Structure formats: C-alpha cells, structure tokens
Amino acid sequence: MIIYVLYAVLGLILYLFVMKPLTEMIKLKFQFGKECKICFTVFGKEIFDQLKETKENKNPRDIFNKQKTAYNKYQYKFFVTNMLWIIRISIADPLYQKEALINHDLYQKVDPVCHNDLLSKGLVWSKGEQWKKQRKLLSSSFEFDALKKKVPMINEITQSKIEKFSNENVLSSLQSITGLIVIKSFFGIQTDQIYINNTELQVEIANIMNEMAYMRFKSQIQSTKRLIFGTKAWKIFPTKEEKRLLQRVKDMRSIVGDLVQQRIKYFEDSNNSKNNTINENFLNILVNEYLKITNKQQQEATFDQIIQEFITLQFAGTDTTAVLLHHCLYFLASYPQAQDEIRGEVNRCCPSSFINENEINNLKRLSAFISEVLRLKNPAMRPIIRVATQDHKIKDLQIKKGNKYKSIRQGWLVCIDYFLQNQSEKHFENAGQFDYTRWLQDSPIKDDNNFIYIPFSAGPRNCIGSQMALLEVKIILGQILKQYQITRNTNVEVSWEIHFNHQLSPTNAVILNKIK
C-alpha cells in the first residue's frame, strides 16, 4: 500500500514540476519555432546561474549579459523558462510588449519583497479601482507646473548634501539627497533628518526594500519557499537574517505611522482639512481622504494604506533615481571627454549657483547623456514582473492564468524585456557602445514604433514620476559637475547586479574630487 502511495506522490511531483511546464513550453516552441527560445529548469536554476556568473565575473559583470548575447544571436520574440510548475515568459518583441503594456488590467504586478505590510497597497502594486483612485489623487502633483515649484528646493538640498558627500558609499549619499527631496516635496515634512537605526529614514527604507527583494536570490531554497508560500514565507522557518529584516520593517513602519498620525492630529485639531493648501502634498491629500471616513474598520485599513503609500512613493522616489545617478556618475568617470563636454555646457548654460527650470531646457548634452545611460544601464532594466490573472491572447500568443486555485502564483509570469531592443543593432547603430551624441541626432532610433525606447515603461501604468526623476537627475548631476571631477575607483571591481533594481556594485565605484 505504502509503495503505491509513494508512486502516486512521485507521479504527482513529476507531473507538476516536469510534465506540466515542459508540455506548455514545447507547445510554444512548435507554434513559434526559432522565434521562441525555451529553457527548462526545475528550481529556477537559470537565474541563480546568472547570479553566480556575475559574482565570479564570468559574464562581463552584468547579470543580463546572457540574455543580451542570446537575443542578438537568435533575435527571438520570446524566451520561456519556468519556476517549478509556473511558466515565465520574457517578451522581447516590441509589438507584443505594446499589447501587454496597454492591456495592463490582464495582470497583477508581483511584489518583489513579498510582504503584505510594505508595498502591496501602494500606487505601484495596487490594482483595479483602487489603483485608478490613487493615480487620480496623486497625478496633479506630477504635472509640470507643480514640478517647477520644486526646483529651488532641489537645488538647496543638493548643494547642502554634496558638501558632505561620502566616497565610501556614493550610492548612500545619493539616496540621502533624492530621499530628502521626496520627503519635503511630496510629504511636506520639514525636518532635514529623521533617523532610524542610525540611518536616515529615506536611506533605511531603500536599504530594507533592496535587502528584502534580494532575499529571493539568496538561495534556491529561499526562492522556492517564497514561490510556494508567498507572503507567509517570512514566517516559515525564518533565518536570523530574515528575523532581523522583519524587525527593521516593524521599526520603520512605526516611525512612518507616527508621522502619519501627527499629520492626522494636526488636521483634526486645527480643522486644516478645509484649508485650500490641502492639495500641496501627498500626505495631506491622503489624510484628507482618511478624515472623510467614519467607519472604524475602514479607517484602520485606510491608515495602513497611507503608511504603505508613504513607503512606496518614498522608496520609488529615492532608490531608482539614486541608482540612475550612480550609473550616470560611473559613465561620466568612464568617459572623461564626455564629462568635460557636459561640464562645459552646464557652466555655460547655468552660470549662477542655482540651476533654474529655464536653464534646464538648454542642457541638451546632459539630457542626451542621461538618455544613453538609461538605454544601456537602466535601473529598471527588467521592469516589474506581471502575473496573468485571466486567460488571454497577446496577438497570437496565448497566456494562461493557471488552474482553478485562487493563488496568483498559478498564473504565467510575464516579463517585458525592453532592454533587449535598446541594445539591438536592429534599432541602434553600434548598439553595444556608449555614445551619448546619438541622442543629439534627429532620428537616433531605427524602425521606431514608439515602444522601442521606453525607459519609464509605457501604457496606462507607466512611471508616474518620470518627469520628476529626470528633473532631479539633471539638477543633481549639474550641481555635482559644477563642483567635482568624477573618476573611477580603480581599487574596486565593478559589476551590474540585481537587487530591487539593476544596480552598479559596489556602492563606491566612483570618486568625487573637489574642483579647486
């Protein structure tokens, strides 16, 4: 009897982990032929091999090098692999990418930190009507006229912070700048320093998110645990590192909760919810919505949502922009002639200590430089992974939501790999070379369908903060170029790894030397 039970269990395992995903992959291969590249694994070995090769400097120090090499060789439309029983399909063809991005309601974004109390209710990961409401509430703060008002504040923060710039951890210094800009501009918190665990709040939020997202790559066992148990995985045989992270999350949420509660009390005490200044920042907008609710249970849920919105927008505004700045500094250090040319443009167009909004429009070389960095080393090189929530077709590609079970982990995972187009000879001359002057030409992109170069994604769920990010990057880089010569740190070996974002490591890859 026992032997038959064992046979049944083995048969079920064989079906779930081998036959089920392999059958789907073979079907796609038969349908698309050489336009579909498949790679069968059992425990997601493919991604862990890439991580290992990156650390050992076997794949030109870039985790995505293997995909770029394979794409340029085979020019496939789709790359299909699996994580246990779940199909993961990476879309490389821009026509299919366009359809997937436009029809965003067919998917749910996968939260990389896999924790219910951090990002799941924020703007980036929320869904349906809740997402529409949040986007509508916050969109006015990202309009051009609203952003222009932030220019003096961005200059002030940047100038005060770069005086204390640390070459020991350049990324952390950049996070301190970008995070403080977010805190002051979108949450109206005037204090310069909110510390938690001896680290500025904005930097600690970024560190926690990166470490939690990277946890899924620590080992195949931890990755499998998260795949099977989802958010519950943090409580199943947690390691010491996981326990420490969860305590940091608790401490951080407590600080943010206090800030939110202070703002609620301010409006309750002084009746400021009726004041016309209510729409000046995100926190006021969210608190105003909270105060309209009378049901206690709904109030508690909304309070939690405000905390998660704070964390989401603080992290998104801090980390991605800081990582992009870090990448830009590395390329400025790597191409001294480009650095001299752009510094000359900044000094010529922006003669005063502040860089104003009118001067920013004249920084053509700086804008072109940033565009080239985004083309080659975008922090969002592989944007947020999506999971299918219903069966549907992208053109002639059938995507499946999985079986009858309700877990979203049953659906196919869909990745939009637009970085492959950015580095393809099909669309860019000398695509593998860094040449910022290509963006000074009238038509730098060949065979463009407006979905080839999309550094901030595209469609209804594109990055709401793209203009804000570019504004910050131009001002911060301009201020740094005015005061510093940027060189590479020859004492370190650099690599392009994956944490939450595609990120240059180590964090001291460049050195800033004061110009005398």
Side-chain angles (χ1 to χ4, degrees):
M1 181 66 180
I2 294 176
I3 194 71
Y4 291 119
V5 172
L6 289 175
Y7 282 145
V9 171
L10 288 173
L12 180 61
I13 291 172
L14 182 66
Y15 168 74
L16 280 177
F17 298 160
V18 180
M19 297 303 298
K20 187 174 185 289
L22 194 55
T23 299
E24 297 288 1
M25 293 164 72
I26 291 171
K27 285 180 183 178
L28 290 170
K29 187 66 177 176
F30 273 121
Q31 180 182 356
F32 293 101
K34 65 180 182 179
E35 292 178 334
C36 177
K37 188 173 183 294
I38 65 172
C39 175
F40 174 77
T41 65
V42 177
F43 291 103
K45 186 173 181 292
E46 171 230 0
I47 186 68
F48 290 96
D49 285 346
Q50 291 178 56
L51 287 162
K52 182 179 178 181
E53 290 169 5
T54 303
K55 288 179 179 178
E56 295 175 354
N57 294 332
K58 291 181 179 179
N59 62 0
R61 299 184 295 278
D62 188 340
I63 190 170
F64 290 120
N65 186 69
K66 185 171 281 188
Q67 284 104 313
K68 289 182 282 187
T69 301
Y71 177 76
N72 287 328
K73 181 177 180 180
Y74 298 108
Q75 292 293 303
Y76 56 79
K77 289 182 177 179
F78 321 107
F79 175 76
V80 186
T81 184
N82 65 296
M83 290 287 291
L84 299 179
W85 63 87
I86 300 172
I87 295 293
R88 191 185 81 214
I89 182 161
S90 300
I91 302 176
D93 187 280
L95 295 176
Y96 289 82
Q97 291 176 355
K98 179 179 180 179
E99 290 294 317
L101 290 169
I102 289 174
N103 297 293
H104 66 94
D105 53 334
L106 299 172
Y107 309 94
Q108 169 65 45
K109 291 183 176 182
V110 176
D111 179 357
V113 303
C114 203
H115 195 292
N116 287 329
D117 298 331
L118 290 171
L119 305 174
S120 60
K121 296 179 183 177
L123 178 65
V124 180
W125 282 273
S126 59
K127 58 183 178 179
E129 291 303 314
Q130 183 61 42
W131 167 77
K132 290 179 183 178
K133 180 181 178 181
Q134 289 169 274
R135 181 99 177 191
K136 185 177 180 181
L137 274 174
L138 303 178
S139 60
S140 62
S141 298
F142 288 106
E143 292 174 356
F144 183 70
D145 287 340
L147 294 179
K148 283 197 303 184
K149 297 176 182 178
K150 306 181 192 303
V151 170
M153 178 267 295
I154 296 173
N155 276 279
E156 288 171 4
I157 290 175
T158 303
Q159 286 188 343
S160 66
K161 288 284 187 179
I162 62 175
E163 289 294 328
K164 308 167 187 175
F165 218 89
S166 168
N167 282 320
E168 295 300 316
N169 193 331
V170 173
L171 180 58
S172 181
S173 294
L174 294 168
Q175 288 171 335
S176 179
I177 296 172
T178 58
L180 188 54
I181 290 169
V182 174
I183 284 178
K184 287 198 171 185
S185 60
F186 293 137
F187 299 114
I189 298 169
Q190 296 306 313
T191 179
D192 284 352
Q193 295 175 322
I194 303 172
Y195 280 92
I196 175 172
N197 298 325
N198 297 317
T199 305
E200 288 175 295
L201 175 62
Q202 64 269 30
V203 178
E204 176 68 353
I205 289 175
N207 290 342
I208 289 173
M209 295 303 107
N210 275 299
E211 289 176 41
M212 293 188 79
Y214 187 68
M215 189 66 71
R216 67 197 191 279
F217 299 131
K218 286 288 186 178
S219 72
Q220 287 174 274
I221 293 174
Q222 287 183 313
S223 179
T224 302
K225 185 171 76 167
R226 276 157 182 71
L227 189 70
I228 294 174
F229 299 108
T231 57
K232 296 178 182 177
W234 288 99
K235 297 180 180 179
I236 296 176
F237 303 115
T239 64
K240 288 183 179 179
E241 185 177 8
E242 287 173 318
K243 289 178 181 178
R244 283 195 295 268
L245 266 174
L246 290 175
Q247 184 59 50
R248 287 168 66 190
V249 168
K250 185 177 179 180
D251 294 342
M252 181 263 289
R253 271 186 57 99
S254 177
I255 293 289
V256 174
D258 288 344
L259 292 171
V260 174
Q261 193 62 57
Q262 288 170 21
R263 189 61 55 87
I264 291 171
K265 190 173 186 301
Y266 171 75
F267 283 119
E268 286 178 334
D269 289 351
S270 59
N271 203 28
N272 273 302
S273 61
K274 296 178 181 179
N275 195 304
N276 290 330
T277 62
I278 190 67
N279 292 323
E280 285 185 355
N281 62 65
F282 288 160
L283 192 50
N284 288 357
I285 294 170
L286 296 170
V287 166
N288 190 42
E289 292 298 307
Y290 169 87
L291 291 172
K292 295 176 183 177
I293 300 169
T294 56
N295 179 278
K296 186 177 180 181
Q297 187 175 1
Q298 194 177 349
Q299 270 194 339
E300 290 176 356
T302 304
F303 185 82
D304 179 58
Q305 183 188 322
I306 295 174
I307 291 175
Q308 294 203 36
E309 196 72 88
F310 185 108
I311 294 168
T312 299
L313 295 171
Q314 184 64 54
F315 172 65
T318 297
D319 195 64
T320 307
T321 308
V323 172
L324 173 56
L325 283 161
H326 193 210
H327 293 181
C328 286
L329 292 178
Y330 180 80
F331 278 101
L332 285 168
S334 301
Y335 296 89
Q337 182 179 341
Q339 183 179 161
D340 290 342
E341 291 168 354
I342 296 167
R343 179 181 291 106
E345 178 187 66
V346 170
N347 288 331
R348 184 174 63 256
C349 296
C350 312
S352 63
S353 60
F354 271 25
I355 299 172
N356 65 51
E357 63 270 18
N358 296 323
E359 293 168 342
I360 290 171
N361 295 329
N362 296 324
L363 298 175
K364 306 298 184 186
R365 287 184 176 272
L366 179 59
S367 295
F369 181 86
I370 295 167
S371 293
E372 185 71 347
V373 174
L374 283 168
R375 183 182 74 85
L376 289 174
K377 300 295 182 184
N378 190 336
M381 185 75 87
R382 169 173 280 170
I384 299 164
I385 297 173
R386 295 159 170 80
V387 60
T389 56
Q390 54 186 286
D391 292 343
H392 65 277
K393 276 193 172 185
I394 305 175
K395 300 177 75 66
D396 54 349
L397 172 65
Q398 180 69 48
I399 302 290
K400 297 183 179 181
K401 72 171 182 179
N403 58 31
K404 63 183 179 180
Y405 298 108
K406 293 182 179 180
S407 170
I408 67 166
R409 298 291 184 182
Q410 303 295 323
W412 286 16
L413 298 174
V414 177
C415 306
I416 312 294
D417 282 351
Y418 58 70
F419 72 92
L420 297 172
Q421 302 299 322
N422 291 345
Q423 298 172 49
S424 169
E425 293 291 334
K426 182 179 178 181
H427 298 291
F428 291 93
E429 295 287 348
N430 301 316
Q433 296 180 15
F434 183 88
D435 178 13
Y436 82 93
T437 62
R438 74 174 75 242
W439 298 100
L440 300 174
Q441 303 168 12
D442 291 335
S443 302
I445 306 172
K446 298 184 290 185
D447 297 327
D448 190 10
N449 71 341
N450 296 321
F451 275 76
I452 302 299
Y453 178 73
I454 46 174
F456 295 97
S457 192
R461 293 200 69 152
N462 66 336
C463 177
I464 193 174
S466 58
Q467 288 191 79
M468 178 67 178
L470 290 174
L471 182 69
E472 282 185 68
V473 170
K474 289 173 186 177
I475 293 174
I476 295 169
L477 282 180
Q479 291 286 7
I480 290 174
L481 284 165
K482 278 172 168 285
Q483 298 189 43
Y484 291 96
Q485 188 75 31
I486 305 134
T487 58
R488 287 175 61 171
N489 186 351
T490 56
N491 295 320
V492 300
E493 189 96 25
V494 303
S495 60
W496 305 87
E497 300 174 359
I498 190 76
H499 294 269
F500 197 104
N501 291 306
H502 187 227
Q503 184 174 306
L504 172 65
S505 296
T507 57
N508 61 339
V510 298
I511 296 173
L512 275 65
N513 300 297
K514 194 79 172 178
I515 297 174
K516 296 179 181 179

